[in-house]
Amino acid sequence: MRGLTVLYDAECPLCTYVRKWLGRQPQLVPLAFVPAGSVEAATRFPGLDQAATLTEITVVGDGGQVYRGSAAWVVCLWALGEYRPLAHRLSTPAGARLARSAVLRAAKWRESRRQREGWGAGVYRRADGWEYLPDRGWVHRGAGPDCGGGCEVA
């Protein structure tokens, strides 16, 4: 395996924190990061359920392998030089239970934040017409008062 692509929820504070942390670690296998549900994700991985990638971490290997949930976290750790031994321990039956528990706790935290606050207090939400473009950041494609529905605001 020569590379992994991590699809992460760019609107989730926990997901963006973990994405930045992963990016700072020495990598034995290069990790690329793509916002889940983005145009880039849909273009690169048209066979994936894009809605599902927003609810559960998904990692795609350069050979087409797809890892979801706790397996995705374990393969991310496996890609990191310092954490590969931990990834091997988490791939055992006992370790897999621990990894699954951690992923379930993170999902519970995410859902409680989503219900209580909404991501970013309503800023840059896809439902409000915002879209993340890797080369430009967040752009708004919603209807504006002066553009008849075709505006794009960076």
Side-chain angles (χ1 to χ4, degrees):
M1 184 172 306
R2 295 181 313 232
L4 294 165
T5 301
V6 179
L7 299 171
Y8 71 100
D9 185 349
E11 294 179 17
C12 167
L14 177 62
C15 301
T16 56
Y17 174 83
V18 172
R19 177 254 180 265
K20 289 175 186 174
W21 179 83
L22 286 169
R24 289 191 308 264
Q25 304 306 308
Q27 300 171 5
L28 297 174
V29 177
L31 298 174
F33 303 95
V34 175
S38 67
V39 172
E40 180 182 1
T43 302
R44 289 180 66 179
F45 309 109
L48 284 181
D49 178 352
Q50 297 299 314
T53 65
L54 283 166
T55 60
E56 183 175 47
I57 182 174
T58 304
V59 176
V60 182
D62 58 0
Q65 313 90 323
V66 177
Y67 305 91
R68 288 180 172 40
S70 57
W73 286 113
V74 171
V75 80
C76 284
L77 292 173
W78 176 83
L80 305 177
E82 188 175 336
Y83 294 91
R84 189 167 273 186
L86 175 60
H88 286 291
R89 286 193 301 275
L90 292 175
S91 65
T92 67
R97 286 191 299 275
L98 178 64
R100 178 152 173 72
S101 175
V103 168
L104 290 174
R105 287 176 191 259
K108 185 175 180 178
W109 182 89
R110 285 182 71 223
E111 187 58 31
S112 71
R113 288 279 304 237
R114 180 186 326 246
Q115 290 175 356
R116 186 173 66 243
E117 302 170 11
W119 300 133
V123 178
Y124 302 132
R125 293 177 52 88
R126 287 183 181 90
D128 295 332
W130 289 92
E131 178 182 354
Y132 182 81
L133 302 175
D135 59 330
R136 296 178 46 213
W138 287 98
V139 296
H140 189 266
R141 295 190 184 271
D146 301 324
C147 63
C151 287
E152 183 175 297
V153 181

